[in-house]
């Protein structure tokens, strides 16, 4: 799939991804955008504003987190499908989060920032494709179950500050995935679901790299502004994150990602 005629800048290409509603079409738009940038077919211009909210397909039905049905024990196929669907939704929204980060804030950073987050966006698209394919192997598909609508709140809350966006999305939300995914892998292993285990192991390796990207760019930009990175991170999390930063932490994976305890230990509740 190629980008539409006339989409020749990074800003236009990122907006195209966000304004594509159909899941498979969004996946293809993300891949096409990352490929076009890699091949030098997009100018490093941010001439198209990002939408306040991405386009969304008719399904899944989006509910407040508190209204989401309980998934039950992971041992049943029904519960495993529900868990994989929830993970697929996270990856679907993560596509938009990556390209919104580029399109909204890329002009503030060197081209290497766009390089890195284009790779992240392509990863998120690949993760979604793997999980959706697994759902189809199990007789379901993305959109078959409701999903919660809380993830995009992080983007809305941080739409005006690149450091806040980096702090909340990769350094809180994706870092939290590093904490909980190993236990999720164990539950799928116990259920004998090796195909899903392989997907989740691939995802956590990529997520370490994503958290590292967020942490590195946060530190570089904070230093450029003469800010103390851990202290400013803690201030931004307290200001913009509606949830809690709570243990247990996967300190080893976080450390591999450059997110050391001096950033998050003081926030633990």
């Amino acid at each position: 799939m190629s980008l539409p005629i006339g989409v020749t800048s990074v800003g236009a290409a990122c907006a195209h991804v966000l304004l594509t509603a159909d899941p498979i079409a969004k996946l293809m738009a993300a891949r096409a955008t990352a490929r076009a940038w890699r091949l030098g077919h997009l100018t490093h211009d941010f001439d198209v504003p990002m939408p306040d909210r991405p386009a969304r397909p008719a399904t899944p039905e989006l509910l407040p987190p508190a209204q989401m049905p309980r998934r039950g024990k992971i041992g049943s196929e029904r519960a495993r499908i529900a868990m994989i669907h929830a993970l697929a939704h996270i990856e679907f929204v993560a596509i938009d989060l990556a390209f919104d980060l580029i399109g909204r804030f890329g002009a503030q950073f060197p081209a290497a920032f766009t390089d890195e987050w284009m790779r992240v966006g392509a990863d998120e698209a690949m993760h979604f494709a793997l999980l959706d394919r697994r759902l189809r192997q199990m007789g379901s598909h993305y959109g078959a179950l409701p999903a919660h609508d809380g993830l995009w709140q992080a983007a809305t809350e941080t739409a005006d500050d690149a450091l806040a966006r980096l702090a909340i999305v990769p350094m809180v939300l994706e870092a939290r995935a590093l904490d909980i995914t190993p236990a999720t892998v164990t539950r799928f292993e116990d259920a004998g679901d090796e195909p899903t285990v392989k997907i989740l192991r691939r995802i956590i390796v990529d997520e370490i790299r994503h958290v590292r990207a967020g942490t590195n760019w946060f530190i570089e930009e904070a230093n450029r502004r003469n800010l103390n990175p851990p202290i400013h991170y803690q201030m931004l999390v307290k200001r913009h994150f509606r949830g809690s930063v709570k243990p247990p932490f996967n300190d080893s994976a976080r450390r591999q990602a450059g997110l050391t305890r001096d950033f998050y230990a003081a926030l633990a509740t």
Side-chain angles (χ1 to χ4, degrees):
M1 179 180 177
S2 58
L3 292 172
I5 295 173
V7 175
T8 59
S9 69
V10 169
C14 289
H16 171 63
V17 175
L18 270 73
L19 293 173
T20 300
D22 177 78
I24 301 304
K26 187 184 290 288
L27 162 69
M28 298 304 292
R31 288 175 170 172
T33 296
R35 183 172 62 251
W37 171 254
R38 186 177 67 251
L39 295 175
H41 297 166
L42 296 175
T43 63
H44 192 242
D45 294 313
F46 300 86
D47 49 350
V48 176
M50 296 302 102
D52 291 335
R53 184 173 177 82
R56 288 284 177 257
T59 58
E61 178 187 8
L62 298 179
L63 301 174
Q67 294 182 19
M68 286 292 294
R70 298 180 66 86
R71 287 191 286 266
K73 294 183 178 180
I74 203 74
S76 72
E77 183 171 81
R78 179 180 178 183
R80 285 188 285 120
I81 288 173
M83 174 64 78
I84 296 167
H85 190 279
L87 295 171
H89 180 65
I90 290 170
E91 300 296 344
F92 181 71
V93 178
I95 298 171
D96 287 324
L97 288 170
F99 287 97
D100 185 78
L101 176 65
I102 299 167
R104 190 174 298 273
F105 300 114
Q108 303 176 29
F109 294 90
F113 180 89
T114 297
D115 288 341
E116 189 145 36
W117 292 103
M118 284 285 185
R119 289 192 292 269
V120 171
D123 285 347
E124 308 294 17
M126 181 266 289
H127 297 166
F128 172 76
L130 291 172
L131 291 165
D132 184 52
R133 183 172 67 187
R134 181 64 185 137
L135 286 171
R136 293 177 188 278
Q137 291 170 347
M138 300 175 74
S140 187
H141 64 277
Y142 176 65
L145 299 172
H148 75 74
D149 195 29
L151 290 172
W152 191 253
Q153 291 178 356
T156 302
E157 179 67 29
T158 60
D160 299 322
D161 184 354
L163 278 178
R165 176 67 62 85
L166 291 168
I168 302 305
V169 176
M171 297 174 71
V172 172
L173 298 179
E174 291 199 81
R176 183 59 179 160
L178 300 183
D179 301 334
I180 65 177
T181 301
T184 305
V185 169
T186 299
R187 292 164 71 188
F188 278 94
E189 284 179 327
D190 292 343
D193 189 341
E194 190 59 28
T196 304
V197 168
K198 289 180 179 179
I199 294 170
L200 296 180
R201 285 176 174 162
R202 170 63 186 272
I203 289 174
I204 195 169
V205 170
D206 292 339
E207 297 295 352
I208 289 173
R209 185 161 40 80
H210 300 175
V211 176
R212 184 187 305 122
T215 303
N216 288 346
W217 284 107
F218 181 92
I219 291 171
E220 181 172 318
E221 179 64 11
N223 286 334
R224 190 186 69 81
R225 298 186 193 181
N226 295 316
L227 300 169
N228 180 295
I231 297 300
H232 194 64
Y233 169 78
Q234 292 160 18
M235 183 275 290
L236 290 172
V237 172
K238 291 175 183 177
R239 177 181 297 174
H240 295 288
F241 186 56
R242 301 183 185 183
S244 58
V245 178
K246 56 186 178 182
F249 299 116
N250 187 344
D251 290 322
S252 175
R254 285 170 172 251
R255 188 165 54 251
Q256 289 180 61
L259 187 59
T260 49
R261 286 188 62 85
D262 56 325
F263 279 88
Y264 58 86
L267 296 169
T269 58

